[in-house]
Coordinates of all heavy atoms in Angstrom, one line a residue:
T638 N 118.6 112.0 104.9 CA 118.3 113.5 104.8 C 118.2 114.1 106.1 O 118.7 115.2 106.4 CB 116.9 113.8 104.0 OG1 117.0 113.2 102.7 CG2 116.6 115.2 103.8
Q639 N 117.5 113.4 107.1 CA 117.5 114.0 108.4 C 118.9 113.9 109.1 O 119.1 115.1 109.7 CB 116.6 113.0 109.2 CG 115.1 113.0 108.9 CD 114.3 112.1 109.7 OE1 114.0 112.4 111.0 NE2 113.9 111.0 109.1
M640 N 119.7 113.1 108.7 CA 121.1 113.2 109.3 C 121.8 114.4 108.6 O 122.5 115.0 109.4 CB 121.8 111.9 109.0 CG 121.3 110.7 109.8 SD 122.0 109.2 109.5 CE 123.7 109.4 110.2
Q641 N 121.6 114.6 107.4 CA 122.3 115.7 106.7 C 121.7 117.1 107.3 O 122.6 118.0 107.5 CB 121.9 115.8 105.2 CG 122.6 114.6 104.5 CD 122.2 114.5 103.0 OE1 121.4 115.1 102.6 NE2 122.8 113.6 102.4
V642 N 120.5 117.2 107.6 CA 119.9 118.3 108.2 C 120.6 118.5 109.5 O 121.0 119.7 109.9 CB 118.4 118.2 108.3 CG1 117.8 119.4 109.2 CG2 117.7 118.3 107.0
I643 N 120.7 117.6 110.4 CA 121.2 117.7 111.8 C 122.8 118.1 111.6 O 123.2 118.9 112.4 CB 121.1 116.4 112.5 CG1 119.4 116.3 112.8 CG2 121.8 116.5 113.8 CD1 119.1 114.8 113.4
R644 N 123.5 117.4 110.7 CA 124.9 117.7 110.5 C 125.1 119.1 110.1 O 126.1 119.8 110.5 CB 125.6 116.7 109.5 CG 125.8 115.4 110.0 CD 126.6 114.6 109.1 NE 126.4 113.1 109.2 CZ 125.9 112.3 108.3 NH1 125.5 112.7 107.2 NH2 125.6 111.1 108.7
A645 N 124.3 119.6 109.1 CA 124.4 120.9 108.6 C 124.3 122.0 109.6 O 124.7 123.1 109.5 CB 123.4 121.2 107.4
S646 N 123.4 121.8 110.7 CA 123.1 122.8 111.6 C 124.0 122.5 112.9 O 123.6 123.3 113.8 CB 121.5 122.6 112.0 OG 121.2 121.6 112.5
R647 N 124.9 121.7 112.8 CA 125.8 121.4 114.0 C 126.5 122.6 114.6 O 126.6 122.9 115.8 CB 126.7 120.3 113.8 CG 127.4 119.8 114.9 CD 128.4 118.7 114.7 NE 127.6 117.5 114.2 CZ 128.1 116.4 113.6 NH1 129.4 116.3 113.4 NH2 127.4 115.6 113.2
Y648 N 127.1 123.5 113.7 CA 128.0 124.5 114.0 C 127.4 125.9 113.6 O 128.1 126.8 114.1 CB 129.4 124.4 113.4 CG 130.1 123.0 113.9 CD1 130.2 121.9 113.1 CD2 130.4 122.9 115.3 CE1 130.7 120.8 113.6 CE2 130.9 121.7 115.8 CZ 131.1 120.7 114.8 OH 131.6 119.4 115.3
H649 N 126.5 125.8 112.7 CA 126.0 127.2 112.3 C 124.5 126.9 111.7 O 124.1 125.8 111.4 CB 126.9 127.9 111.3 CG 126.8 127.4 110.0 ND1 127.4 126.2 109.5 CD2 126.2 127.9 108.8 CE1 127.1 126.0 108.2 NE2 126.4 127.0 107.8
N650 N 123.7 128.0 111.6 CA 122.5 127.9 111.1 C 122.6 127.9 109.6 O 123.1 128.9 108.9 CB 121.7 129.3 111.5 CG 120.2 129.1 111.0 OD1 119.8 128.3 110.2 ND2 119.4 130.1 111.6
P651 N 122.2 126.8 108.7 CA 122.2 126.8 107.5 C 121.5 127.9 106.6 O 121.7 128.2 105.4 CB 121.6 125.3 107.0 CG 121.4 124.8 108.3 CD 121.6 125.7 109.4
L652 N 120.5 128.4 107.3 CA 119.8 129.5 106.6 C 120.6 130.8 106.5 O 120.3 131.6 105.6 CB 118.4 129.9 107.5 CG 117.5 128.9 107.7 CD1 116.3 129.3 108.6 CD2 117.0 128.4 106.2
D653 N 121.7 130.9 107.2 CA 122.7 131.9 106.9 C 123.3 131.9 105.6 O 123.8 132.8 105.1 CB 123.7 132.0 108.0 CG 123.1 132.3 109.5 OD1 122.1 132.9 109.5 OD2 123.8 132.0 110.5
D654 N 123.3 130.7 105.0 CA 124.0 130.4 103.7 C 123.0 130.6 102.5 O 123.3 130.4 101.3 CB 124.5 129.0 103.6 CG 125.6 128.7 104.6 OD1 126.3 129.7 105.0 OD2 125.7 127.5 105.2
V655 N 121.7 130.9 102.9 CA 120.7 131.1 101.8 C 121.1 132.4 100.9 O 121.4 133.3 101.5 CB 119.3 131.2 102.3 CG1 118.4 131.6 101.2 CG2 119.1 129.9 103.1
R656 N 121.1 132.3 99.6 CA 121.5 133.4 98.8 C 120.4 133.6 97.7 O 119.8 132.5 97.3 CB 122.9 133.2 98.1 CG 123.0 131.9 97.4 CD 124.5 131.9 96.9 NE 124.6 130.6 96.2 CZ 124.4 130.4 94.9 NH1 123.7 131.3 94.3 NH2 124.4 129.2 94.4
E657 N 120.3 134.7 97.1 CA 119.4 134.8 96.1 C 119.7 134.2 94.8 O 121.1 134.2 94.5 CB 119.4 136.5 95.8 CG 118.4 136.8 94.7 CD 118.4 138.4 94.4 OE1 117.8 139.1 95.3 OE2 119.1 138.9 93.5
V658 N 119.0 133.6 94.1 CA 119.3 132.8 92.9 C 118.6 133.5 91.6 O 118.9 133.2 90.5 CB 119.0 131.4 92.9 CG1 119.9 130.7 93.9 CG2 117.5 131.1 93.2
C659 N 117.7 134.4 92.0 CA 117.0 135.1 90.8 C 116.3 136.3 91.4 O 116.1 136.5 92.6 CB 116.0 134.2 90.1 SG 114.6 133.8 91.1
T660 N 115.9 137.2 90.5 CA 115.3 138.5 90.9 C 113.8 138.4 90.7 O 113.3 137.6 89.9 CB 115.9 139.7 90.2 OG1 115.6 139.4 88.7 CG2 117.5 139.8 90.3
A661 N 113.2 139.4 91.3 CA 111.8 139.5 91.1 C 111.4 139.7 89.7 O 110.5 139.2 89.0 CB 111.1 140.6 92.0
E662 N 112.3 140.5 89.0 CA 112.1 140.9 87.5 C 112.3 139.7 86.7 O 111.5 139.4 85.7 CB 113.1 141.9 87.1 CG 112.9 143.3 87.7 CD 113.4 143.4 89.3 OE1 114.2 142.5 89.5 OE2 112.8 144.3 89.9
S663 N 113.2 138.7 87.1 CA 113.3 137.5 86.3 C 112.2 136.6 86.4 O 111.8 135.8 85.5 CB 114.8 136.8 86.6 OG 114.8 136.3 87.9
I664 N 111.6 136.5 87.6 CA 110.4 135.7 87.8 C 109.3 136.2 86.9 O 108.6 135.5 86.3 CB 110.1 135.6 89.4 CG1 111.2 134.7 90.1 CG2 108.7 134.9 89.5 CD1 111.0 134.8 91.6
Q665 N 109.1 137.5 87.1 CA 108.0 138.1 86.1 C 108.2 138.0 84.8 O 107.3 137.7 84.0 CB 107.9 139.5 86.6 CG 107.4 139.9 87.8 CD 107.4 141.3 88.2 OE1 108.4 142.0 88.4 NE2 106.2 141.9 88.3
E666 N 109.5 137.9 84.4 CA 109.7 137.7 82.9 C 109.3 136.3 82.5 O 108.7 136.1 81.4 CB 111.3 137.9 82.7 CG 111.6 137.7 81.3 CD 113.2 138.0 81.0 OE1 113.8 138.7 81.8 OE2 113.7 137.4 80.0
V667 N 109.6 135.2 83.3 CA 109.2 133.9 83.1 C 107.7 133.8 83.1 O 107.2 133.0 82.3 CB 109.9 133.0 84.1 CG1 109.2 131.5 84.0 CG2 111.4 132.7 83.9
Q668 N 107.1 134.4 84.1 CA 105.6 134.4 84.1 C 105.1 134.9 82.9 O 104.1 134.6 82.4 CB 105.1 135.2 85.4 CG 105.3 134.4 86.6 CD 105.0 135.1 87.9 OE1 105.1 136.4 87.9 NE2 104.6 134.5 88.9
G669 N 105.7 136.0 82.4 CA 105.1 136.7 81.1 C 105.4 135.7 80.0 O 104.5 135.7 79.1
Y670 N 106.4 135.0 80.0 CA 106.7 134.1 78.9 C 105.8 132.9 78.7 O 105.5 132.5 77.6 CB 108.3 133.5 79.1 CG 108.6 132.6 78.0 CD1 108.9 132.9 76.6 CD2 108.7 131.2 78.3 CE1 109.3 132.0 75.7 CE2 109.1 130.3 77.4 CZ 109.3 130.7 76.0 OH 109.7 129.9 75.1
L671 N 105.3 132.4 79.9 CA 104.3 131.4 79.8 C 103.2 131.6 78.9 O 102.6 130.6 78.3 CB 103.9 131.0 81.2 CG 104.9 130.4 82.2 CD1 104.3 130.2 83.5 CD2 105.4 129.1 81.5
S672 N 102.7 132.9 78.8 CA 101.5 133.2 78.0 C 101.9 133.0 76.5 O 101.0 132.7 75.6 CB 101.0 134.7 78.2 OG 102.1 135.6 77.7
S673 N 103.1 132.8 76.0 CA 103.5 132.6 74.8 C 103.7 131.2 74.5 O 103.7 130.8 73.3 CB 104.8 133.4 74.4 OG 105.9 132.9 75.1
V674 N 103.7 130.3 75.4 CA 103.8 128.8 75.3 C 102.5 128.3 74.6 O 101.3 128.6 75.0 CB 104.1 128.2 76.6 CG1 104.0 126.6 76.3 CG2 105.4 128.6 77.2
Y675 N 102.7 127.5 73.5 CA 101.5 127.2 72.6 C 101.0 125.9 73.2 O 101.7 124.9 73.5 CB 102.1 126.9 71.2 CG 101.0 126.6 70.3 CD1 100.2 127.4 69.8 CD2 101.1 125.3 69.7 CE1 99.1 126.9 69.0 CE2 100.2 124.9 68.7 CZ 99.1 125.7 68.4 OH 98.2 125.2 67.4
I676 N 99.5 125.8 73.1 CA 98.8 124.6 73.3 C 98.0 124.4 72.2 O 97.0 125.1 71.8 CB 97.9 124.6 74.7 CG1 98.8 124.9 75.9 CG2 97.1 123.3 74.7 CD1 97.8 125.0 77.2
E677 N 98.4 123.4 71.4 CA 97.5 122.9 70.3 C 96.2 122.6 70.7 O 95.9 122.0 71.8 CB 98.2 121.7 69.6 CG 97.6 121.3 68.2 CD 98.2 120.2 67.6 OE1 99.5 120.3 67.1 OE2 97.7 119.1 67.4
D678 N 95.1 122.8 69.8 CA 93.8 122.5 70.2 C 93.6 121.1 70.7 O 92.7 120.8 71.5 CB 92.8 122.9 69.1 CG 92.6 124.5 69.0 OD1 93.0 125.1 69.9 OD2 92.0 124.8 67.8
S679 N 94.3 120.1 70.0 CA 94.1 118.7 70.3 C 94.5 118.4 71.8 O 93.8 117.7 72.5 CB 94.7 117.7 69.3 OG 96.1 118.0 69.3
V680 N 95.5 119.1 72.1 CA 96.1 118.9 73.4 C 95.2 119.7 74.5 O 95.0 119.2 75.7 CB 97.6 119.4 73.6 CG1 98.1 119.4 75.1 CG2 98.5 118.7 72.7
L681 N 94.8 120.9 74.1 CA 93.8 121.5 75.0 C 92.5 120.8 75.1 O 91.9 120.6 76.3 CB 93.4 123.0 74.4 CG 92.7 123.9 75.1 CD1 93.3 124.2 76.5 CD2 92.5 125.2 74.5
D682 N 92.0 120.1 74.1 CA 90.9 119.3 74.1 C 91.1 118.1 75.1 O 90.2 117.8 75.9 CB 90.4 118.8 72.7 CG 89.1 118.0 72.7 OD1 88.0 118.6 73.1 OD2 89.2 116.8 72.5
Y683 N 92.2 117.4 75.0 CA 92.6 116.3 75.9 C 92.6 116.9 77.3 O 92.1 116.2 78.2 CB 94.1 115.8 75.6 CG 94.6 115.0 76.6 CD1 94.0 113.7 76.9 CD2 95.8 115.4 77.3 CE1 94.7 112.9 77.7 CE2 96.4 114.5 78.2 CZ 95.7 113.3 78.4 OH 96.3 112.5 79.4
L684 N 93.2 118.0 77.6 CA 93.2 118.6 78.9 C 91.8 118.9 79.5 O 91.5 118.4 80.7 CB 94.0 119.9 78.9 CG 94.3 120.7 80.1 CD1 95.6 121.5 79.9 CD2 93.2 121.7 80.3
I685 N 90.9 119.4 78.7 CA 89.5 119.7 79.2 C 88.8 118.4 79.4 O 88.1 118.2 80.4 CB 88.8 120.6 78.2 CG1 89.5 121.9 78.2 CG2 87.4 120.7 78.4 CD1 89.1 122.8 77.0
H686 N 89.0 117.4 78.4 CA 88.3 116.2 78.5 C 88.7 115.4 79.9 O 87.7 114.9 80.5 CB 88.7 115.3 77.4 CG 88.2 113.9 77.4 ND1 86.8 113.6 77.2 CD2 88.8 112.7 77.7 CE1 86.6 112.3 77.3 NE2 87.7 111.7 77.6
I687 N 89.9 115.3 80.3 CA 90.2 114.5 81.4 C 89.7 115.2 82.7 O 89.4 114.6 83.7 CB 91.8 114.3 81.6 CG1 92.6 115.5 81.7 CG2 92.1 113.3 80.5 CD1 94.1 115.2 81.7
C688 N 89.7 116.5 82.7 CA 89.0 117.3 83.7 C 87.5 117.1 83.9 O 86.9 116.9 84.9 CB 89.3 118.8 83.5 SG 91.0 119.2 84.1
E689 N 86.8 117.1 82.7 CA 85.5 116.8 82.6 C 85.2 115.4 83.0 O 84.1 115.3 83.7 CB 84.8 117.0 81.1 CG 84.9 118.5 80.7 CD 84.3 118.7 79.4 OE1 84.5 117.8 78.5 OE2 83.8 119.8 79.0
E690 N 85.9 114.5 82.7 CA 85.7 113.1 83.2 C 85.6 113.0 84.7 O 84.8 112.1 85.3 CB 86.8 112.2 82.8 CG 86.7 111.7 81.2 CD 85.4 111.1 80.9 OE1 85.3 110.0 81.6 OE2 84.8 111.4 80.0
T691 N 86.3 113.8 85.4 CA 86.0 113.8 86.9 C 84.7 114.2 87.3 O 84.3 113.7 88.4 CB 87.1 114.8 87.6 OG1 86.7 116.2 87.3 CG2 88.5 114.6 87.2
R692 N 84.0 114.9 86.5 CA 82.7 115.4 86.9 C 81.7 114.2 86.5 O 80.4 114.3 87.1 CB 82.2 116.6 85.9 CG 83.1 117.7 86.2 CD 82.8 118.9 85.2 NE 84.0 119.8 85.2 CZ 84.2 120.5 84.1 NH1 83.3 120.7 83.3 NH2 85.2 121.4 84.2
E693 N 82.0 113.3 85.8 CA 81.2 112.1 85.4 C 81.5 110.9 86.3 O 80.8 109.8 86.4 CB 81.4 111.6 84.1 CG 81.1 112.9 83.0 CD 79.6 113.4 83.2 OE1 78.7 112.5 83.4 OE2 79.6 114.7 83.1
D694 N 82.6 110.8 87.0 CA 83.0 109.7 87.8 C 82.0 109.4 89.0 O 81.6 110.3 89.7 CB 84.4 109.8 88.5 CG 85.0 108.6 88.9 OD1 84.6 108.2 90.1 OD2 85.9 108.0 88.4
H695 N 81.6 108.2 89.1 CA 80.6 107.8 90.1 C 81.2 108.0 91.6 O 80.3 108.0 92.5 CB 80.0 106.3 90.0 CG 81.2 105.3 90.3 ND1 82.1 104.9 89.5 CD2 81.4 104.6 91.3 CE1 83.0 104.0 89.9 NE2 82.5 103.8 91.3
N696 N 82.3 108.2 91.7 CA 83.0 108.3 93.1 C 83.1 109.8 93.5 O 83.5 110.2 94.6 CB 84.4 107.7 93.1 CG 84.4 106.2 93.2 OD1 83.7 105.6 94.1 ND2 85.2 105.6 92.5
V697 N 82.8 110.7 92.5 CA 83.0 112.1 92.7 C 81.7 112.9 92.9 O 80.8 112.8 91.9 CB 83.8 112.6 91.5 CG1 84.0 114.2 91.6 CG2 85.2 112.0 91.4
E698 N 81.6 113.6 93.9 CA 80.5 114.6 94.2 C 80.6 115.8 93.3 O 79.7 116.3 92.7 CB 80.5 114.9 95.6 CG 79.4 115.8 96.1 CD 78.0 115.1 96.1 OE1 78.0 113.9 96.4 OE2 77.0 115.8 95.8
Q699 N 81.9 116.3 93.3 CA 82.2 117.6 92.6 C 83.5 117.4 91.8 O 84.5 117.2 92.5 CB 82.0 118.8 93.4 CG 82.2 120.1 92.8 CD 82.1 121.3 93.8 OE1 81.8 121.0 94.9 NE2 82.2 122.5 93.2
G700 N 83.5 117.6 90.5 CA 84.5 117.4 89.7 C 85.5 118.6 89.6 O 85.2 119.6 90.3

Side-chain angles (χ1 to χ4, degrees):
T638 300
Q639 292 177 77
M640 291 177 72
Q641 290 172 356
V642 168
I643 293 168
R644 284 188 204 119
S646 61
R647 188 177 299 167
Y648 300 111
H649 76 286
N650 184 350
L652 295 178
D653 293 339
D654 298 333
V655 173
R656 59 183 175 78
E657 182 180 282
V658 295
C659 64
T660 64
E662 292 78 19
S663 63
I664 292 172
Q665 289 178 290
E666 185 179 332
V667 170
Q668 289 174 331
Y670 177 74
L671 288 179
S672 64
S673 69
V674 174
Y675 180 69
I676 300 182
E677 184 179 299
D678 283 348
S679 63
V680 175
L681 190 56
D682 185 62
Y683 167 70
L684 180 150
I685 293 169
H686 175 73
I687 61 176
C688 289
E689 286 179 337
E690 285 294 311
T691 66
R692 302 173 199 159
E693 305 300 322
D694 191 286
H695 70 279
N696 288 310
V697 177
E698 180 76 31
Q699 185 173 356

